[in-house]
Amino acid sequence: MYALDHVDAGTPSSPSTRLVTLDIDGVTVTVPEGTSLMRAASSVGLQIPKLCATDTLKAFGSCRLCLVEIEGRRGYPASCTTQAADGLKVRTQSPKLAALRRNVMELYVSDHPLECVTCSANGHCELQDMAEVVGVTDTRYGLTGANHLAATPDASNPYFTFDPSMCIVCSRCVRACDEVQGTLALTIQSRGFASTVSASQHEPFMTSECVSCGACVEACPTVALTEKSVIERGVADRAVTTTCAYCGVGCSFKAETRGGEIVRMVPNRDGQANHGHACVKGRFAFGYATHPDRITTPMIRRSIDDPWQEVTWDEAIDHTAREFRRIQATYGKDSIGGITSSRCTNEETFLVQKLVRAAFGNNNVDTCARVCHSPTGYGLKQTIGESAGTQRFDSVMKADVIVVVGANPTDGHPVFASQLKRRLREGAKLIVVDPRQIQLVRTPHIEAAYHLQLRPGTNVALFTALAHVVVTEGLAREAYVSERCEADSYEKWKQFVADPRHSPEATEAVTGVPADLVRGAARLYASAANGAIYYGLGVTEHSQGTTMVMAIANLAMSTGNLGREGVGVNPLRGQNNVQGSCDMGSFPHEFSGYRHVSDPDVRSSFERAWGVPLEAEPGLRIPNMLEAALDGSFKGIYIQGEDPAQSDPDTQHVTAAFAAMECVVVQDLFLTESAKYAHVFLPGSSFLEKDGTFTNAERRISRVRRVMPPRAGLADWEVTVRLANALGYPMHYRHPSEIMDEIARLTPTFTGVSFDKIDRLGSIQWPCNDAAPEGTPTMHVGAFVRGKGKFFLTEYIPTNERTTRKYPLILTTGRILTQYNVGAQTRRTRNTAWTSEDVLEIHPHDAELRGIKDGDWVGVTSRSGEIVLRADVTERVRPGVVYTTFHFPESGANVVTTENSDWATNCPEYKVTAVEVMQVNEPSEWQKRFRAFTDRQLELLKGEQPAHV
């Protein structure tokens, strides 16, 4: 069932610019050509009864409830499948139409009695509504004939049920799975009266191909497919529009509540990033917000071996301020710093960096983008002039060839993946560059034209080889380059990539990709009318992450694939507000809008606004802070919404650094891995408790609206304000909108942004200023932001992380659909029904060599450490490569990753770790220590001193 406040127009809108005018029930209606009569009527407030039609799906014309009369035509056409045309005179109500509709409805009711009072969907059910509209309360056919009332429900899915006895076989669920999600997991099995909705080969939903996006549940006009939360809590009575807090797609949702309790999340059909679609996380996995593990009272303790003591907000803030001032007085101004998170709003992130620069008096501020997309910011800034993706998501619908590099959209960005798959089903070609066989490579419905299954760590060599083909085969678009790019950098780059040592044949031994595949893929991309590149952390999380981003920009510029719809360079950001956290100046060298702290004009503008002198030298990055802690010069840190002890590489190095500090302050929802090393715990707010904005991967700024009060009493931005005031630096904001107003005053690309404007437009893609008052969907139109595009030479330099006889395999890491990042949220939802542990994917050849069978416990040993996981023997990975995720802290995936990092940004090289794998029968030593430490910290959380300490 769609959202409470949604008025369904029945069929999708028409893209035509030609208008037609007709008469419906005496009302003159003008609509785009191609509009259905049903939608035309709806546009003037005339709602024609319907059941099989909804405005997210193509017209189907099966329920026969939307019949109308057209003057001069025989019969009673379905208004959903009949298009509006000039001069038509349409009648939607007449005695004959009423009789026909009642007859149809009585047949439905004969197999679906109107026992609405006891139904969980009572008051928000289309069948109930339509029966009332056509005046049916009972059926003359009775309920004693053949029916489906004894059909067995399927409750296997943790979030929704399928009750065939409530199904009217309208096919909306099947069509939603096909058209909206693109999984095609549902079908109508059998014929006639025996017809029934079937998941895969008549399997339970849980074990079928269903990915639990919920599109079928939302499409269902009855209670046949229903959220369990609706069954448990009843139909909601209030809806608040907000933005999802999971991946970088930034889906808009209606959060529906009843009595202040969340009932369900319904994707907003007016959402400009998701157009009414969602994934299993965004739609269903919100239970963590009210999970009993939430800590809602501030706590302090003297050391990490002491029990936690609950205190008031004032006591916690005053204690933190005293500790930070004590540390600075003892060890110097630069001995403390702060880390903010991509899970925080723009306003919260802006305040944290302001707190550090203005109240701490240094530039020791960083963000978790350090460990994911910092190479994107640097690489794109240098080549094309702006540290962000170039397109809106909808642009993919105009792409002819799509390159997906080091990204797994169906798992990491599933709503965008659905749109991408729709374009592929329309005929666009796909090139996948990935060491793993991700789902996009081949499904029953789509297949990549090329899968370049390269060795981890060889991205740069492969993309330079692609560029070699473009240049040496005359596929570069010289006129475009001549007009828009620096001539000298282009000439040097052409000579560089044309060198025979960069040919696909010469680099095949390095990349492992056959030369003919590289040449074919290069020709396909370069010859496309519109070629678009989408990439993820498989690009950035390498020692040459920045070089690879530059290589992507080089390839796009040389083929003229920037500056219009359907093309572009598009980083798929992992977390919801990675883009925003970078935009807000949370890097130690940049103010908001990516302006260097050493620029005296920029710095003076902030000094005037903030009333304090600011440092001209960049501060410490996260790795520098950790090193300084171990050196004894960095003693205090304020971490808002981030968990480096699980997410950052070389876990033991990170925790040793935390243990060496005198005041670790963590502001979060739960006792995270980092919080176990904290001296102060400040309760955080979930996205449902926040007011502010997120900026998604397409630079789209969307409102986050408070659905419920902060469970701890204060919103995150209010905590930062209180801490600043306690430190003696006054902040006087009354609402996050005032913080955004300050951001707009100080940040040229945000000049025209305000909460009022976002509320009016729905969302805004920056830059938003006098030149683009309503935002910029496509960047670099006509010219690059930096003026002329600049080519950079991309010499391939192998990583220092080499395989040896001791460590013969390469470990690469990633994520899966049902879990998110470090899992702090999704592990506290029913998503664990799908995945409750990290596993190690290993190729059958490598497994056989080691005597490993599927499901065996295996030790994974690197130069940094050892962990034990369960083996998943699969051909998704190529021989010589193993793969795991980092969603579960007890797995310790980052115990084995190393400190190697990108040469420009220190982004860790998560994707390349040399390891050996062998069969074992007990946890690793680190895992044993982890369990003991965690058990002790949980006892301390209760305020108790463990007996064995």
Side-chain angles (χ1 to χ4, degrees):
M1 185 63 64
Y2 40 74
L4 279 178
D5 55 357
H6 179 70
V7 178
D8 194 278
T11 60
S13 61
S14 167
S16 176
T17 55
R18 183 178 182 276
L19 300 178
V20 296
T21 300
L22 65 161
D23 179 291
I24 303 179
D25 291 346
V27 179
T28 300
V29 184
T30 300
V31 293
E33 187 177 41
T35 302
S36 71
L37 293 180
M38 177 180 285
R39 189 177 182 93
S42 179
S43 70
V44 293
L46 300 171
Q47 302 302 325
I48 299 173
K50 62 181 177 60
L51 281 173
C52 73
T54 183
D55 56 20
T56 56
L57 303 174
K58 297 173 187 172
F60 195 53
S62 73
C63 76
R64 313 308 295 169
L65 207 62
C66 69
L67 308 181
V68 294
E69 296 172 350
I70 300 176
E71 187 174 291
R73 295 191 185 181
R74 299 177 59 185
Y76 304 93
S79 62
C80 65
T81 55
T82 305
Q83 294 184 3
D86 274 324
L88 286 186
K89 290 190 175 181
V90 180
R91 188 158 53 184
T92 69
Q93 304 292 338
S94 74
K96 181 60 178 177
L97 289 173
L100 288 171
R101 289 169 182 160
R102 280 196 298 273
N103 286 342
V104 170
M105 182 57 74
E106 282 189 273
L107 290 170
Y108 280 120
V109 171
S110 70
D111 200 14
H112 187 131
L114 295 172
E115 298 169 346
C116 303
V117 175
T118 58
C119 177
S120 58
N122 184 27
H124 191 47
C125 167
E126 285 183 71
L127 183 66
Q128 181 185 20
D129 293 344
M130 291 304 109
E132 183 178 344
V133 166
V134 302
V136 170
T137 58
D138 202 351
T139 173
R140 75 185 107 151
Y141 304 112
L143 301 174
T144 56
N147 59 55
H148 300 86
L149 299 180
T152 304
D154 173 7
S156 60
N157 189 284
Y159 292 117
F160 62 84
T161 62
F162 172 57
D163 185 349
S165 72
M166 296 290 137
C167 180
I168 60 172
V169 201
C170 64
S171 295
R172 269 167 56 165
C173 56
V174 176
R175 290 181 287 138
C177 192
D178 294 357
E179 298 175 26
V180 178
Q181 168 56 28
T183 298
L184 288 79
L186 303 183
T187 188
I188 299 295
Q189 193 171 51
S190 299
R191 293 183 177 181
F193 185 75
S195 300
T196 184
V197 173
S198 171
S200 294
Q201 300 301 310
H202 204 46
E203 300 169 31
F205 271 80
M206 188 62 184
T207 56
S208 73
E209 297 166 278
C210 171
V211 294
S212 298
C213 70
C216 58
V217 178
E218 183 172 339
C220 182
T222 74
V223 75
L225 282 157
T226 307
E227 294 98 336
K228 290 182 176 177
S229 58
V230 172
I231 297 172
E232 293 162 1
R233 299 163 200 168
V235 174
D237 54 18
R238 175 174 173 261
V240 178
T241 303
T242 190
T243 303
C244 182
Y246 281 114
C247 77
V249 175
C251 295
S252 178
F253 276 90
K254 300 290 184 77
E256 294 189 350
T257 64
R258 181 185 180 91
E261 186 179 22
I262 290 287
V263 173
R264 62 176 191 157
M265 299 289 288
V266 186
N268 181 10
R269 297 193 182 191
D270 294 326
Q272 292 155 323
N274 59 317
H275 305 295
H277 192 33
C279 73
V280 62
K281 294 188 287 287
R283 188 190 292 266
F284 294 122
F286 54 83
Y288 70 89
T290 53
H291 194 277
D293 284 355
R294 281 284 298 271
I295 300 174
T296 56
T297 303
M299 303 185 299
I300 61 174
R301 60 180 173 177
R302 184 168 45 86
S303 82
I304 64 171
D305 295 319
D306 289 333
W308 284 102
Q309 176 188 354
E310 292 188 351
V311 295
T312 66
W313 273 111
D314 286 343
E315 290 171 318
I317 296 292
D318 291 345
H319 174 81
T320 303
R322 281 197 305 274
E323 279 296 281
F324 280 167
R325 286 305 187 216
R326 177 188 65 78
I327 289 170
Q328 286 189 304
T330 306
Y331 301 101
K333 185 176 65 175
D334 296 330
S335 59
I336 64 173
I339 299 175
T340 185
S341 170
S342 299
R343 292 168 217 163
C344 300
T345 64
N346 288 321
E347 295 73 18
E348 291 160 356
T349 299
F350 185 83
L351 278 200
V352 170
Q353 63 91 30
K354 180 176 178 179
L355 172 85
V356 171
R357 300 185 202 281
F360 290 5
N362 60 47
N363 286 323
N364 295 339
V365 62
D366 211 347
T367 173
C368 59
R370 172 69 55 210
V371 298
C372 63
H373 267 287
S374 51
T376 288
Y378 187 77
L380 295 184
K381 186 79 171 180
Q382 296 299 309
T383 50
I384 57 179
E386 193 54 273
S387 301
T390 61
Q391 313 293 124
R392 59 177 178 161
F393 289 133
D394 289 355
S395 170
V396 76
M397 299 308 291
K398 295 183 179 178
D400 301 301
V401 173
I402 301 161
V403 184
V404 175
V405 192
N408 188 3
T410 54
D411 281 20
H413 304 83
V415 171
F416 169 69
S418 291
Q419 193 172 27
L420 169 62
K421 288 189 289 186
R422 199 175 313 137
R423 180 59 185 156
L424 295 175
R425 292 199 300 276
E426 291 177 351
K429 301 297 183 185
L430 175 66
I431 300 168
V432 173
V433 182
D434 202 293
R436 292 176 74 231
Q437 181 161 323
I438 61 172
Q439 192 180 57
L440 282 176
V441 171
R442 183 176 296 110
T443 76
H445 314 289
I446 58 170
E447 182 171 0
Y450 292 94
H451 177 202
L452 308 184
Q453 196 170 13
L454 76 175
R455 293 192 179 98
T458 63
N459 286 337
V460 171
L462 178 65
F463 263 63
T464 304
L466 291 168
H468 175 91
V469 177
V470 169
V471 167
T472 59
E473 296 190 9
L475 299 174
R477 298 191 183 177
E478 299 290 347
Y480 177 95
V481 175
S482 175
E483 177 188 349
R484 301 194 46 168
C485 301
E486 291 181 357
D488 58 340
S489 71
Y490 180 56
E491 287 305 316
K492 290 177 183 173
W493 178 78
K494 276 179 67 176
Q495 291 179 22
F496 169 76
V497 300
D499 190 308
R501 68 192 174 94
H502 296 309
S503 71
E505 291 74 17
T507 55
E508 181 175 332
V510 173
T511 65
V513 181
D516 61 326
L517 295 184
V518 178
R519 288 191 177 276
R523 291 166 187 154
L524 180 62
Y525 171 72
S527 303
N530 285 334
I533 300 176
Y534 294 84
Y535 70 86
L537 302 182
V539 162
T540 56
E541 291 178 343
H542 287 274
S543 62
Q544 283 198 289
T546 295
T547 310
M548 178 57 180
V549 172
M550 291 173 168
I552 289 173
N554 288 342
L555 193 66
M557 288 190 291
S558 68
T559 53
N561 278 314
L562 284 161
R564 64 182 184 278
E565 288 276 273
V567 298
V569 173
N570 305 284
L572 295 172
R573 307 282 187 163
Q575 297 195 61
N576 52 311
N577 201 35
V578 175
Q579 183 67 58
S581 69
C582 299
D583 300 341
M584 293 298 100
S586 56
F587 287 131
H589 66 294
E590 290 176 331
F591 291 113
S592 58
Y594 304 98
R595 291 160 301 156
H596 205 279
V597 294
S598 64
D599 185 320
D601 293 335
V602 172
R603 194 170 64 256
S604 65
S605 69
F606 282 86
E607 289 175 334
R608 285 194 300 273
W610 294 352
V612 292
L614 300 173
E615 290 291 313
E617 292 295 322
L620 300 177
R621 298 170 174 177
I622 293 173
N624 306 137
M625 295 183 204
L626 300 176
E627 285 296 333
L630 292 171
D631 290 344
S633 59
F634 189 85
K635 292 292 187 178
I637 193 165
Y638 171 42
I639 304 172
Q640 188 180 73
E642 188 53 19
D643 191 8
Q646 187 180 346
S647 63
D648 285 25
D650 198 352
T651 301
Q652 296 176 91
H653 179 79
V654 176
T655 54
F658 283 152
M661 296 185 200
E662 295 183 4
C663 186
V664 175
V665 181
V666 170
Q667 186 173 348
D668 217 311
L669 304 180
F670 309 104
L671 190 74
T672 61
E673 300 313 305
S674 298
K676 292 171 185 171
Y677 290 86
H679 306 86
V680 178
F681 185 90
L682 305 175
S685 300
S686 76
F687 79 109
L688 295 170
E689 299 153 39
K690 292 178 184 286
D691 257 317
T693 57
F694 290 151
T695 305
N696 74 354
E698 50 172 1
R699 296 171 281 104
R700 186 180 300 283
I701 310 164
S702 300
R703 285 278 280 115
V704 182
R705 295 181 177 86
R706 180 178 292 187
V707 179
M708 57 180 64
R711 292 171 68 85
L714 293 178
D716 291 338
W717 68 271
E718 293 176 300
V719 176
T720 308
V721 165
R722 285 200 182 196
L723 181 56
N725 290 333
L727 287 164
Y729 179 77
M731 290 187 184
H732 301 297
Y733 306 102
R734 293 165 298 179
H735 189 268
S737 62
E738 297 178 350
I739 305 171
M740 177 53 79
D741 291 343
E742 181 174 314
I743 295 167
R745 287 194 297 273
L746 290 169
T747 313
T749 47
F750 276 63
T751 300
V753 178
S754 69
F755 277 30
D756 286 345
K757 182 180 281 189
I758 298 172
D759 289 344
R760 178 167 58 83
L761 298 178
S763 63
I764 299 171
Q765 288 176 269
W766 67 262
C768 176
N769 45 35
D770 291 342
E774 296 195 350
T776 309
T778 304
M779 293 191 72
H780 312 293
V781 176
F784 292 109
V785 170
R786 73 183 302 279
K788 296 285 188 180
K790 183 173 183 177
F791 287 81
F792 281 77
L793 305 188
T794 54
E795 188 71 56
Y796 168 64
I797 300 173
T799 172
N800 292 330
E801 182 68 7
R802 309 289 175 84
T803 54
T804 62
R805 290 180 63 183
K806 186 175 182 181
Y807 303 111
L809 303 173
I810 289 292
L811 170 71
T812 188
T813 62
R815 62 181 63 182
I816 56 175
L817 171 65
T818 55
Q819 294 292 328
Y820 174 71
N821 203 265
V822 297
Q825 295 147 281
T826 44
R827 282 186 282 110
R828 292 178 172 90
T829 69
R830 296 174 184 173
N831 279 25
T832 52
W834 286 279
T835 311
S836 58
E837 63 179 336
D838 297 310
V839 298
L840 185 82
E841 292 184 1
I842 184 169
H843 191 273
H845 172 74
D846 294 323
E848 184 178 3
L849 281 179
R850 292 162 176 81
I852 295 170
K853 296 182 178 58
D854 196 55
D856 281 353
W857 288 108
V858 292
V860 184
T861 308
S862 75
R863 296 179 177 92
S864 292
E866 180 187 9
I867 57 173
V868 173
L869 302 171
R870 204 179 291 278
D872 177 9
V873 180
T874 173
E875 293 186 352
R876 283 191 293 273
V877 290
R878 55 178 294 160
V881 176
V882 293
Y883 170 88
T884 191
T885 52
F886 57 102
H887 303 305
F888 294 85
E890 61 271 23
S891 300
N894 283 319
V895 169
V896 294
T897 54
T898 70
E899 289 185 89
N900 289 342
S901 64
D902 174 49
W903 60 270
T905 65
N906 276 142
C907 182
E909 193 177 39
Y910 292 108
K911 303 304 181 187
V912 183
T913 303
V915 298
E916 176 57 298
V917 177
M918 63 183 68
Q919 207 174 20
V920 297
N921 53 20
E922 63 176 349
S924 70
E925 290 303 314
W926 177 86
Q927 285 167 320
K928 293 175 184 174
R929 292 196 303 275
F930 171 85
R931 289 177 185 175
F933 179 73
T934 296
D935 289 344
R936 190 166 81 242
Q937 290 300 317
L938 292 177
E939 290 183 59
L940 295 172
L941 181 60
K942 299 174 185 173
E944 301 171 357
Q945 184 69 53
H948 57 279
V949 174

